[in-house]
Each structure stands twice: as C-alpha cells, then as structure tokens.
Amino acid sequence: MATQSADYGLAALAARAEITDVIHRYCHATDRRRWWLMDTVFHEDATCHLSVIGGSWREFVEQGAALLAPVGVTHHQVGNIQIALEGDVAHAETYVTAFHQVPADAPPGGPFGGTGEAYDAIFGARYIDRFERRGGAWRIAERRSAAEFRHYQPVNEGGLSETPMRFRGQWGDDDVSLPVVAAWRGQAAAPKPDTLEDLAARAEIADVVNRFCHMVDRHRWELVDDVFHRDATSRFLEAVRTIPQVMDSARTMLGPLTGTHHQTGNMLITVDGDQAWAETYVTAFHAVPTTAPQTFWGGREEPYEGVAGGRYIDRLERRDGRWKIAERQTLVEWRHDRPVRDGTLSQTPPQFRGQRGDADVSRPVVAALLDRK
C-alpha cells in the first residue's frame, strides 16, 4: 500500500529526513567541491538537467565541475522543501538561492563568464526531484530545475576582503566540515535517521541552532544556556572565545545595529552516540547605522545594509539528556555591503516590525525556556 503524502508516522518522517539529507548533501558536495559525495545523492542511472548542463548524473557532475572551476565562492542555500511520498517513489520541490563569486579573470561565455571585473552572480531557482527508494536507500532518480531570478552585481565585500582565506570556507578535505560528512565516504557506514531516537536528536539539535539565531536577533541573551554548554568555545575569524566572551562580543557587535536577521537553511547532522556534528548554512542581514562602532559591521558616513552568507560548523554534546553546542566555528563565505533602500518599509510603524526582548510577538515560541529561568 502506498504511503500517502499526509502520513507523518515514524516511517514517513524517517523517509522525509533522509530525502532532505540527500538534498542538503548535493549542495554541500557542490560548494565544498567534494564530488565523491554525489555518489550518495543520485542513483547510478539517474538523470539531471539544470540550466545549460545535463545528461546522466555523472555527465552533469563533470560538466558542473568544469563550469565552477574558474568560480570562487559558491553558496547554495535551500529553504522550502515539499515532499510527496508514494510508496518507494517521492516527489520533492526545493527552493534554492545560489551565490557565485566570479573573478575578473574568469574565461568569457556561459552563466559565469568573465567580464574583466569581479562580480557576484545570484540565482533563485527550484529543484524538482523524483526520488526512488532502492535497497532501502532514497536517492534522486531524476532532477530538473526551474529558474526564477538572476542578479549580477559588483563585488562589495567590505571588511571581509581583508579576511585571510583560511577563515573562510575551503574545498575538499581542507574544510572544517569534514566530520559532518566523513561517514558517507564509502557509503557502507552512512548514517540513516530511521529511528525515533535519531529523529528526536536531529530535531533537538536543529532547535538549538535555530534558537541561537532567535537569541541574537531578538537580543534574548538569557537563552545562551539553552544553546551552549558552559565550557563551550566559539571561533569567528581569528578569535576563539569562551561563551562569556561570545556574549560580550555579540552585545558589542550587534547591540548598536538597527536590526539583524539570521536565516538558516541547509542543515546536515551526523549523530554518533552522545556527540554530533552539524553544518548549517546561514544568510545574515545587518542594518548598520552611522553610529555603530568599528567592528566587523562598523558605522560609516551613511547607513548601510550588510548581508553575509556563511556556515556554522558545530560539535554538539548530549549531557544530562540535553543537546547543546560544545564547539562552534563560524565561516563567512561572502558579504555584500549596500546603501539602505527601505522603500515603503521605511513608512511602516516600528511596532509592526521585529522587536527585541519581550516586546516581540514571538515570546510564546520560547516562553517555556524563559519562564523556567
């Protein structure tokens, strides 16, 4: 009997989690140039057609690798995922925003052709996938894409241009995210989220990561003990900080800003007993007034918007039954600084925009944590 799309029992939830992992592994393999990971994404006879390239999935990967060879940073952050299950077949639609930094000396031609000046190419699209479960494993049998928008704009990295590359994302095994996907090398030991305990751990870990974003955007600093273990460390660029130092830095860097918005996307999680590794894609918006102190988001003569894309690489531990971050490294992949252009939003009364602390309408979401303190 076919599993219906509206089924949210254990088997269906496990299938949805596994399918979502496949989608996220595709983005990770592309952005980290870990092409070997594509073996865990496609069935051997799968086809893939995206934009101007396609064919068998191996032909597609070969073409894609050649297309991206002259490109610098790429960052494929997915959002909405809809999955329709029909027995051993599933259909999925995934929204994706894809960032590509094209250097000045890239060869001409194609979607990332060089122009003599560096530029950023940002695409919005959807992946339309047909999955099949074979031998107990969900993989893509057919992938197509639908393009929605495309932007080309000059590189404007702000202070990020002065950051050594070792503090940004790397390719292959040099990237610090290797523990997240290492179990997939060889596939035999590949983890599958197919038990209630696995699914519960993944859900709790995702809550912890997203709670961090809520904490910094709403300035609910009292949630820190629900995100980090007390002896945790966090690395941002050159600095490795203790959690008290992280909180001081966050208040200094983010407190003077008009607003922030940290939106997470792809999340790959590997659980090994009471330890887990997680890689989370994030796009972070910062409204910087002229009065902001000179930090990573320092004030200028005119207010500006700083938008950055990056990844959180977290090692989490389960202690006393609760998952929290024990070690974090934040990698900034790209950054745009641009003039403020609020449009009609500038006429919206402040009470209808996001607030900080208990003034924000989101309090019921975290009330159980806040009221426990």
Side-chain angles (χ1 to χ4, degrees), residues 46 54 64 92 104 116-117 134 192 233 252 255 271 308 317 333 335 338:
E117 295 183 4
R134 303 179 191 173
K192 290 181 61 177
T233 60
T252 299
V271 179
E317 294 180 3
E333 310 286 359
R335 171 174 168 172
R338 59 198 182 200

Side-chain angles (χ1 to χ4, degrees), residues 15 51 62 68 86 133 135 149 157-158 180 182 202 223 225 250 256 293 298 366:
S51 185
E62 183 178 354
L68 294 180
E86 299 175 359
R133 179 168 49 194
F149 70 85
E157 287 196 325
V180 182
R202 290 161 58 91
L223 291 176
D225 288 333
V366 293

